[in-house]
Every structure is written in C-alpha cells, then in structure tokens.
Amino acid sequence: MRFFSDNTATACPEIMTALQEVNHGRARAYGDDEWTLRLDGALSAHFGTPVRAFAVTTGTAANSLALACLSPPYGAIFAHHEAHIAVDECGAPGFFSGGAQLELLAGAHGRLDAATVGAALAAHPRHLHSVQPAALSLTQATELGTAYRPAELAALCELAHHHGLKVHMDGARFANALAFLGCAPDEVTWRAGVDVLSFGATKNGALAAEAVVFFDPALVRDFELRRKRAGHLLSKSRYVAAQLLAYLESGVWRRNAERTNRLAQLIGAAAAAALLHPVEANEVFVRLGAARRQALRSSGFEFYDWGPEAAGDARFVVSWDQPEQDVHALCAALSSRAGS
Amino acid sequence: MRFFSDNTATACPEIMTALQEVNHGRARAYGDDEWTLRLDGALSAHFGTPVRAFAVTTGTAANSLALACLSPPYGAIFAHHEAHIAVDECGAPGFFSGGAQLELLAGAHGRLDAATVGAALAAHPRHLHSVQPAALSLTQATELGTAYRPAELAALCELAHHHGLKVHMDGARFANALAFLGCAPDEVTWRAGVDVLSFGATKNGALAAEAVVFFDPALVRDFELRRKRAGHLLSKSRYVAAQLLAYLESGVWRRNAERTNRLAQLIGAAAAAALLHPVEANEVFVRLGAARRQALRSSGFEFYDWGPEAAGDARFVVSWDQPEQDVHALCAALSSRAGS
Amino acid sequence: MRFFSDNTATACPEIMTALQEVNHGRARAYGDDEWTLRLDGALSAHFGTPVRAFAVTTGTAANSLALACLSPPYGAIFAHHEAHIAVDECGAPGFFSGGAQLELLAGAHGRLDAATVGAALAAHPRHLHSVQPAALSLTQATELGTAYRPAELAALCELAHHHGLKVHMDGARFANALAFLGCAPDEVTWRAGVDVLSFGATKNGALAAEAVVFFDPALVRDFELRRKRAGHLLSKSRYVAAQLLAYLESGVWRRNAERTNRLAQLIGAAAAAALLHPVEANEVFVRLGAARRQALRSSGFEFYDWGPEAAGDARFVVSWDQPEQDVHALCAALSSRAGS
Amino acid sequence: MRFFSDNTATACPEIMTALQEVNHGRARAYGDDEWTLRLDGALSAHFGTPVRAFAVTTGTAANSLALACLSPPYGAIFAHHEAHIAVDECGAPGFFSGGAQLELLAGAHGRLDAATVGAALAAHPRHLHSVQPAALSLTQATELGTAYRPAELAALCELAHHHGLKVHMDGARFANALAFLGCAPDEVTWRAGVDVLSFGATKNGALAAEAVVFFDPALVRDFELRRKRAGHLLSKSRYVAAQLLAYLESGVWRRNAERTNRLAQLIGAAAAAALLHPVEANEVFVRLGAARRQALRSSGFEFYDWGPEAAGDARFVVSWDQPEQDVHALCAALSSRAGS
C-alpha cells in the first residue's frame, strides 16, 4: 500500500480522455494551437481576473521559470527552509536565474509568518555588496501539508510588496489547499497579493502538466524566451494544454483534491496523538518512533521517513487514485499502534 | 494542406495505446518505475551495444543537456550554421552549459565536411585566452533534409576525437536518416564514433518523447543532476518512457519514417528541377520564386518560406499522419508549376 | 579618526617600492613574466609545501574562483551565515559556479563548530533532487575578528573530507589570524586539511593583490580558464605578482598584522566589559548602546554600526597605517564611556 | 627586441606618480573615495557630454560587464569574427551575460561594414526560437590595427539602433584610433551613436586600468551590482581611479598614442609591399613568408605569428615604452628583407 507520494499515481480518466480528444488533425506547433491559445481564458475564468498562463510539464520548471522572471541573477529569493525550491529541485532557481541566492527562513508547520519575513526583509542590506531582495516564494499547500489562510497570505504579500519584492506561489498542491480552505481561487492568489503562481496539476491527477500563471502581466516579460531556451516549450503543445483545460473544466481538480484531503483527514484522525503538523491537505506527518515505523513498513505500508532518523517520523501522502481500503488499513494500523 | 512541420502532427496510435497501458497502478516516481528502468535495455538492443539512455520531453532539452555533459562553460561547440542548436533553440546550449560558445561552420546541403571541420579545429587556438574546443554537434538527418553517410560520419568523428572533442548527434529526425540510408542504427552512431545521441521520437509519431543516449557511459557523469535542476525529470516518468518503448518496440519508428520519406520523395520528384537539396529524409526544399510560392499558398498549401525573402524558397515537411492525397495534390501543383 | 575598515588604508611602502622596481623593461604579458612565475615558489616556501598559486586583485575574485573549482553548478557550499561570501559579495559564488547554493550555518563568534557542520552534512540529502555537498568555506580570521585554532580547523576539515567535500579558506585577514595564533602558515592550512586558500594581502598593506593558493594541485583543473573568462587575468600581471612577492618576502605581512592586532588588543582591553566577541585579529566589536554610539561618532570616530540598529553595536577595524594616537584616543573614549 | 604586444610594456611615469600621490591618508573603500568620485566628471570632460564611468582593471572585464548590461541571457551580440570578445576572452561575454550568443561577421581589415551588418540584422529571426539581437560590438582601433572613420561608425550605429540593438565599442586601443584619425573623442563615440565604451588605458601606458563609459545613463542599470559580484569592484578603488585620472589629465593618453602610431607608420613604410592591412594604429601586420619570418626571429625580433602557419604572416605591436632604435632596427630588417 503505497503512500510515498502523489507523484506515484496514474493520470485520471478525464485527463486521458482529453489527450485522446485532441489527438486528431494537425495543429500549429509550439503553442499556437487552439488548445494552448485557450489557456489564458480558462485560467482567467478560474481565477476571476485576466491572467497570462503558460504550460510546462514539471513543477520545477514552473517554479524556476517563474522565479527567473522575478529575480535578477543578483537577486535574493526568500522562502521557507523546507520549500521545494530549496530542498527538492537540485538548485534549479540558481540555474534558471543565473545565480540568485536563496534566503531560507524558519516557520512552524512549513508556513512562514509575517514577523519572521518582516524581520528578515528589514535586516537585509540593500547596498551593492549584497544580493538584492527580489522575490518571496510561498508554498500552498506547504511541504508539510498545511495551508496558508487568506489573511496570512495577504499580510505576507503586503510585506513583500512594501519591501519591493514580488510574490511567487508554489502551488504544486494548490487544489488541496483550496479544498481545505473552502475558498475561491482568487482569495489565496491575486486578491491576497500573489504575483505569479505555479499552478500544479500533475500531483492531483494530470499526466504531466503545470501552468505558470501571471496575475501581473507586466511580469511576463521574457518568460516565453526563457521557457524556450530551457527546453520547456513543447512542440506538440496541445497535449499539455489539453490536460490543463480538462483539469480545470471537468472539475476534476476539485474532486480529486477533496477526496485526497478527506482521506488524509481519516489518517490524521487515526494518528491524532502523534501528528507533527495539522492535516490541511493530502499529507500526514506522524511521529511513530523508529520501532513502530519499522513495524508499519513490515506490514506492507510504503512511505517516506521524514527528518532525522532518530525521531522516527513518517510522511504519508494520499494520491487521487488511492484505494479507499488502503487508507482504512493504514488508519487501523495507526490506531492500534497508537494504542500500543 | 499542412506541410509546415512534422511537429504539427498528432501522436500515433501505438503511442497513445502505450500511454493507456501504463496508466494503471501506482509506480515509483522520478524515473524509478519499471518502464523507465527498461529504457537502457531497449535502447541498448536498438543500438546493439550497451548504452545509458535518459528520457526527456523536448529536443532542445535533449540537445542541451547532452552538450552540457560534453562541454565546460568555457568550451566551444562546433556545428553547422544551420543547426537547430544554433538557430532554433534560443541560445539553449549557452544556457545549459553556462556559457559555451558556438563555432558555426558552413557546409553544402546542411552537412559539415571533414575538410571544413578539420581546418576549423586545426586553426582553433588552445591557449587560455580562447574557448576550448569541446564538442562537435552533427545533425542526422540535417536541417536541410539530407543524411550523412556512415563513412562521412566516421571521418568527422575521427577528426573530432583526434582533436580531443566529443561528438554529439542531434537526431530529431534520426529515424528518417536511417530509413533513407537503409542502414542499422549502430552504423551511423557509435560505430561511426558518435558519443551521445539526441534520439528523437516526437517528430516521428510520439506525443513528447526524446531520449539522450550515451554510447560512452563515462560521459554520463552528472547528467541526472543537470536534468533534474533543469526541470526535465518528470515525476510521472512512466509516461515518457512508455512512449519511447512503444516507439522502439512496435517498429513504428521505422514504419513512420519510411512512409514520410517515401512521400517526400514523391514531392522531390515533382519538383526535381527546382530542388535546393537532395531529398534524403522527410523534408523538401524548393526554389519556387516569390510569385509561384504565393500562388501555391493561395491554393491551400501551408508551408514555411525558407531563407531570404527574394529567393522565393519553400520548405515542405511530411508528417507521419499526412494524408497521402495532400502529397499527391502538392505534387500535382508543383509539377504543373514546374512546367509553367 | 577612521576605523571603518582595513580597506580604507593606503598601500605600504614595501609594496609601492616593489611596483617601482618591476616597472622597467618589457615582460611577457598575461602571467608569463618572471615575477608571476615566481609566485608558486614564494608561496610554496611560505607554506612549506609545494603549492600552485594564482594572483588576482580582489578577495571576491579569489573566493569565487576558488569555489568554482570546488563546486559544480549543482553543488552546495557550506559556510557561516556571516561569511563574506554569503553577505558581502553580491552572490558572487552563485555567479562564478553557475548556480551553486549556499548552505549557511550558525556558530558563536563567527566560527563554525564541528558539531554544527557534522549535523548539517549528515542531514544533507545526496539524492538527485538535492544540491550536492561540494565545499566547506571557512574564514580565517573570521568576519567577527576571531581565529580558528589548528585543532578546530583539523576537525572541521576532517569532517568535510569524510563527507566528500573540499575545504576552502577565505583568508582575507589570514595574516592577522597567524599573528594572533602565533603559529606557522602550514598549521592552519594544509596540515589542518585546507585544500584551497584565498590568501589576502590587500587589507594588510597591499594595493590590490590576493592569491588563490591550491594545496592540492589536482584541484587547480581549469582555474586559469575560469580566471581568464572572468576578466581576472591581468595583462600586466607583474604588478600584482610583485605585490605578493614583496608582501611575503619583506615580512611586511607579519609586521603589519602584528601591529594591527596589538592595537586591536588595546581597544579590546578598553572596551572589555562590552566586547561582543573575543579580539583575535584586528577587529573589535563592542556593544555601546545607541546613545553612546552616537556620542562616540560625534567625537570624531568613524566606524560601522553592526547588526540590528537597536542594539547599538559597533565595529572598529585597525588598519596597517592607523596612527597609534587614533587608537589611544579611541581607547580613552571607550574607557571613559565604559565607566559612564 | 620585443614587438609581441603593448601589454608587455611598463606603466608610464605619470601613472606611477599618480599612484604615489594618492597613497596617503585613509579613503573610503569600494569607490566612495574622492578620486573615484571624480571619474564621471573627468570622462564627461574628455567626451564633452555627461557620462557615467566605472573603473575596472582589465579589458575583458570592461567588455563583458558592458555587454552584460546590453544583452539579456538570450541575446545575440554581433561582432567581427576577429574581435577580442570573440577570440581572446575565453568566452567571457557568454559567462557575464548568462549565455548570450555571439553572431560573428566578416569584414575587410577587421572592420565591419554597414552592408554586412545590415544584411545580418535583417536576416536574423525575431521569433522566440531564436536568440534576440541585442548588441553590436565594434572595436576601435580594430584587432587588425585599423580605425573606423566617424561616418562608418555613424552608419553602423544607425543600423544597429534601427534594429533595436545597442552599440558597444571595445576601445582597448581607443587612443591610437583617435590619434590616427585626428578627431575628438566625441566624434567616434556618442556623436556617432556609440552607447557604451570600454575605454582602455592599460595598453597605452597605465598599469591596470580601464573604464566602462556609458553615454546613455539609462543603460547603466545594474552595472554596479554586476561588477561587484564579478569581483571587479576594488576595495582600494583609488588606485585604479588615479591611473585613469592621470591618463586623461596629463595628456599621456595622446602623447603615448601619437608616439606608437608614428613608430608603427615607420614599420609600415618599411614593409609597405607586404602589408596585410593599412597601418592606422600601433599594430603592423606583414606577410613575410615562413622562411623570412624565421630569419627575422633569429635576428632577435620577437613578435607573434598571425593566422595560418603556412602564410608566414606576422604581427608587430609598438608599445609606449618601445625604444626608438628597436623600431629602426626592425625597419632596416624589413626593408632589406623586402628587397631580398
């Protein structure tokens, strides 16, 4: 029973159907096809404001291309020290930006708070011996399965803007955050002050599709040139666009996120006494202890160890295609162990 | 009737079926799935020698990641001045390598010849004021629809190796070259001395799949780290691997290439008197003159103008899913015009 | 009375004389002159082991070129969060390396300790989603005017080597550390395990001269190409080499460092009750409080505020050409104020 | 008798005196000293228009920092294929810009002509698959010892501007061009349309000093941050500024250039029948043939072979401190040989 990651899942039927549906007739290459040309409109509708949106196939590409538009080579990008861009992308932001420096901050449960960010920005020098604060990158939902509230985001974005930074949101699990918060896409993005969003679909049911969504068209600048030279402009672009359109228009984004969130809540409830972080998306972090963790693994549950070995912490991620019985089995195992 | 590019085509049935077939069950992410793990074997079988092979989704990514493994930031990459890496990838080799410099050479019909390359390599300084010759990049089939013969390749590779360079082959239309030459994959790659191949499938029927094939495992070095930080490691890697496996194992690579080559030959025959380059793949370059070119376009044929406006040259590319009647119509139009 | 920085000083007479002495006759350009060719020998003699040494004109160039030889673009460079490379070089390590990521650690008085470094290295992932630990950069003397003892360095270097990292030492104030420790140059460099040293002379009396000293010749690799393309190979190289030779051979390195250290000790004694860090080089950090700091400044003392505004901390740096009476005046002011 | 390069020369007395004169008292570091602050004014006076000017120590740094302000990472920089930035800087423009691509053009005697540049710019694609034309770099005097006339420069600059490019001038031997043309500094720079000039002093008598001169202040943008992170901001900046001030204000720039030009004319006259290029600066290129070249070398003349070995071409460069008798000896040798 696999709880490694939502990346281990299949693509959902709506996505596969969409691929079949666009697979006829010739289409202009490199993004001039009718499906790609519909992306701006579809994402503008989703967010309730005119946006520019660009399709890529990976979250690392989405994040780094977005950040390269926000930060010069001598820029500083502020982020949580657990952020995907800091620990899981092999230095991609530095590569795409030409050397921007990450300034990593701490924050409970994977969230940055305004006090920490405000202090860091106030303390950061602006003289020419220093990298120049350029962007704040927030993750929604966070790497620890928590979600920023709209007011928290608004405070962070206001701070960032006040200090002259732009705000990027890594939304690899954006749908899960929305589903948990029960709010509309605009509330945790542009209305809160987010400038650019990496809008993830892959973890939530797509085959390989992410969108970079610019709420401020002035920031788009040279995005398309940067995407091309990074090899992220697909020649047969329709197949990525079609995934994004289906993801949005079929409602599968919400259905999948609601399901995985619901199942994660079950796991969270079963492990309530040992939870490391509130369960606000499709990830559950549990302090098991090394022995119980090993026992769980021996029982056929697959998951990642998390953090220092000695603590015996584990991460469980629910995928959109996770069999419900897997979750029930895990809950049973966690409950009994919690009582052991 | 669309003759713009083989990038305007659909994905062929074998590829779509493969996507469906792997779309069940959870799989390890980021390339540890069973299909991705089969790539080395499948491409080793194809080339008749042990290779290391890595899947990406675009030709630009394949070329640039390969070249970044062959050239240091202060390297010189020698290529034909019409090469895709020189004119169609928005500076990607410079980006991925950290600043390597292209040294562009002329050559009839898109092919470099040993005399030109030899002279350039002999003349290139090796002192520390100069970029250091690092790689020779050859395109097979070339951007002008011609194919290098095995002996030509062997001579070029020997030259390159003699001067300490590694050889990269851009094989975006590799299958077309093979089909034209009637030779086995090994004859125009490792047996001729090619070190790394960008093995293209997208233009010849895949949805979005290319492989970087290392014939010399020592060159792989940090490829995987470079791919990851460039955002080209797909989390759901199985869907790219599956395309490549189907492409190879179904024989679709050959069937599609043979068909498009055959149809290109028909066009070439119809335009024989006005051909700019021998037709040795699925592309046909014709000197129409501005007036006749416009007339052809008005008749419903879509294609790219090529080269200086005044010459009135045109490029016609046959796609794997090109209706045969399109080609016959084009032939008829070209014949009548040729006679006009 | 200026205590801003040792960068505000003049060049000392021995250096100026050396410039005059080499200013006759033509010499081969770009480092093939007799003085530059003597650098390896002079620094080998200084360190008591064969080294390769390269002259540059700034500490940022020395540090970043050294680090670019130790870290690939996807490398991680571990350093103290107060390190010059982290806060005072405008992201130079990221630029020169092609995107290496700094991993910044805390440590009392500007020094890293083995426990902190060991924990960070042990925790750092090595999978391909992460930047790869490549180098540990230590500063001697540190940015807070303290010096690592030989045993501390040996422990840190052993840790770094054990985890596969190379060790760089930023020795912008190397002479001050030596003078304080009373040890030989080898004890705090290669005998302790340092692989590459930025050997600074500018702050201690040179006009503009630093050497990058490789204790492991295998690491030199492409240093000279990287230096050239960064614009740091001087055409009239003799004038930098001459400074370094004079600095070493006249003994001015030691004389100046001993003098500035001695004067710093006087200041440290005068401010003993308010010292923020032990005085182990030519820098003194004092907690004055905002009011007393302002009063001191009004009395004609020039210095940098340090750290958060509210704390009222100040940094005093003694330059090689600092008039002794400046220091006595400062001591008097600090003593009286300490008693106020 | 050394005719290798003007880089083999000493620094001239006015420069050395200036270094001594500024070598007293403490000064603010990193360019806030009184001498550095005078640079803008001194160069504004020299050029007869308000400029921003920045000191660096090498021509490679000046050229590449200037170009990095003119070209994005995906830019194309057009230059003569003999340009220093193309063949003598180890790929520096690619490094500093983050990957800009050189587009190298031919032109008689090291000069580009408007027809060639115009054709290249007109033909260069602007779609997103291509690097984007960003800058034209011209060398004055050229690498082949010739000088652009003001009208030629004006035509080239107008072309460049018409196509949206900025114009950089590599003026490593700018004074020699001025002295030959007998025109004022403005005529071949901003009045002709040059946007940024690498103003060289090192080859013409300075120790190590070049200025990057912006005629359009809007282009300065982030120059200072780029210079700092490249390690090209000297802490003791006064010593570079002082060289530039002395170079300008003492008139040594003109005196040295007039002398070396005059001596080069003598050599040119002696080799008139075998000249490869007009002598319009301090360099003379002669077709000697391999045998006569060897004989000349055996007679004690030192110089660089130039171009393909077989042609037996040689380059002679006159330095500011070249003994007059060296030149007479060379003239005698060339004359007799020319007659042999």
Side-chain angles (χ1 to χ4, degrees), chain B residues 224-239:
Chain B
E224 289 185 274
L225 291 159
R226 291 183 180 276
R227 179 177 59 170
K228 171 63 196 176
R229 77 195 305 249
H232 283 293
L233 174 61
L234 263 66
S235 57
K236 298 182 175 177
S237 176
R238 61 174 126 174
Y239 298 101

Side-chain angles (χ1 to χ4, degrees), chain B residues 126-148:
Chain B
R126 302 298 177 121
H127 53 60
L128 61 79
H129 301 267
S130 171
V131 285
Q132 303 294 304
L136 172 65
S137 181
L138 302 170
T139 308
Q140 176 80 318
T142 73
E143 295 299 318
L144 300 181
T146 56
Y148 286 100

Side-chain angles (χ1 to χ4, degrees), chain D residues 46-47 174 178 183-191 215 253-254:
Chain D
H46 185 65
F47 286 102
F174 183 69
L178 279 195
C183 66
D186 59 342
E187 294 178 71
V188 289
T189 55
W190 63 277
R191 282 201 200 276
F215 298 106
W253 70 268
R254 184 189 298 275

Side-chain angles (χ1 to χ4, degrees), chain A residues 48-72:
Chain A
T49 191
V51 306
R52 293 294 318 280
F54 302 94
V56 294
T57 52
T58 70
T60 295
N63 287 339
S64 288
L65 285 168
L67 290 169
C69 287
L70 301 188
S71 173

Side-chain angles (χ1 to χ4, degrees), chain D residues 52-108:
Chain D
R52 292 295 317 281
F54 301 94
V56 294
T57 52
T58 71
T60 296
N63 287 339
S64 288
L65 285 168
L67 290 169
C69 287
L70 301 188
S71 173
Y74 45 82
I77 298 168
F78 291 76
H80 194 284
H81 69 82
E82 298 257 14
H84 206 263
I85 61 167
V87 298
D88 278 317
E89 302 188 355
C90 197
F95 174 49
F96 280 77
S97 66
Q101 194 167 304
L102 300 181
E103 303 285 343
L104 302 177
L105 307 174

Side-chain angles (χ1 to χ4, degrees), chain A residues 155-170:
Chain A
L156 286 162
C157 292
E158 190 182 351
L159 251 175
H161 292 157
H162 173 72
H163 284 89
L165 290 79
K166 298 298 180 184
V167 180
H168 165 252
M169 178 172 276
D170 177 352

Side-chain angles (χ1 to χ4, degrees), chain C:
Chain C
M1 287 163 287
R2 184 163 292 217
F3 291 92
F4 279 126
S5 173
D6 28 20
N7 283 326
T8 63
T10 53
C12 69
E14 291 82 352
I15 298 293
M16 295 304 284
T17 299
L19 290 181
Q20 289 291 358
E21 286 179 353
V22 300
N23 194 42
H24 59 82
R26 276 152 293 140
R28 284 193 172 262
Y30 294 113
D32 291 330
D33 61 272
E34 61 178 286
W35 299 276
T36 305
L37 294 173
R38 276 181 51 211
L39 277 183
D40 281 357
L43 280 149
S44 295
H46 186 66
F47 285 103
T49 192
V51 305
R52 292 296 317 279
F54 302 94
V56 294
T57 53
T58 70
T60 296
N63 288 338
S64 288
L65 285 168
L67 290 169
C69 287
L70 302 187
S71 174
Y74 45 80
I77 298 168
F78 292 74
H80 194 283
H81 69 82
E82 299 257 14
H84 206 264
I85 61 167
V87 299
D88 278 317
E89 302 187 354
C90 198
F95 173 49
F96 280 78
S97 66
Q101 194 167 306
L102 299 181
E103 303 285 342
L104 302 177
L105 307 175
H109 305 310
R111 280 187 290 244
L112 293 174
D113 63 66
T116 303
V117 172
L121 292 178
H124 197 95
R126 302 297 177 122
H127 53 60
L128 62 79
H129 301 267
S130 173
V131 284
Q132 304 292 305
L136 171 66
S137 181
L138 303 169
T139 308
Q140 177 79 318
T142 73
E143 294 301 318
L144 299 181
T146 56
Y148 286 99
R149 273 56 175 175
E152 292 174 315
L153 289 171
L156 287 162
C157 292
E158 188 182 350
L159 250 175
H161 291 157
H162 173 71
H163 284 90
L165 289 80
K166 298 298 180 184
V167 180
H168 165 252
M169 178 172 277
D170 176 352
R173 294 189 181 94
F174 183 70
N176 295 93
L178 278 195
F180 172 76
L181 296 169
C183 66
D186 59 341
E187 294 178 70
V188 288
T189 55
W190 62 276
R191 283 202 198 275
V194 172
D195 296 299
V196 188
L197 170 71
S198 296
F199 177 82
T202 310
K203 288 182 194 288
N204 194 35
L207 188 150
E210 314 273 315
V212 181
V213 181
F214 287 86
F215 298 107
D216 179 352
L219 298 174
V220 174
R221 286 193 292 257
D222 50 13
F223 180 89
E224 290 185 274
L225 292 159
R226 290 183 180 275
R227 179 177 59 170
K228 171 63 195 177
R229 77 195 305 249
H232 283 292
L233 174 61
L234 263 66
S235 58
K236 297 182 175 177
S237 176
R238 60 174 126 172
Y239 298 100
V240 195
Q243 293 180 62
L244 290 166
L245 294 173
Y247 182 72
L248 287 167
E249 296 173 351
S250 71
V252 72
W253 70 268
R254 184 190 297 276
R255 193 191 66 208
N256 282 352
E258 286 175 348
R259 179 175 188 273
T260 54
N261 278 11
R262 177 175 59 81
L263 295 175
Q265 288 296 332
L266 297 181
I267 301 171
L275 281 183
L276 290 160
H277 308 294
V279 179
E280 302 180 352
N282 63 326
E283 299 185 292
V284 187
F285 295 80
V286 187
R287 176 145 298 172
L288 294 171
R292 297 164 72 198
R293 187 167 68 181
Q294 181 50 40
L296 203 62
R297 187 163 279 138
S298 302
S299 309
F301 296 99
E302 297 176 306
F303 54 86
Y304 280 115
D305 293 348
W306 203 256
E309 184 56 28
D313 297 343
R315 184 187 78 162
F316 302 91
V317 187
V318 182
S319 300
W320 80 268
D321 60 356
Q322 192 90 39
E324 193 122 357
Q325 63 266 34
D326 285 11
V327 173
H328 295 312
L330 178 59
C331 288
L334 285 168
S335 300
S336 70
R337 276 163 204 292
S340 72

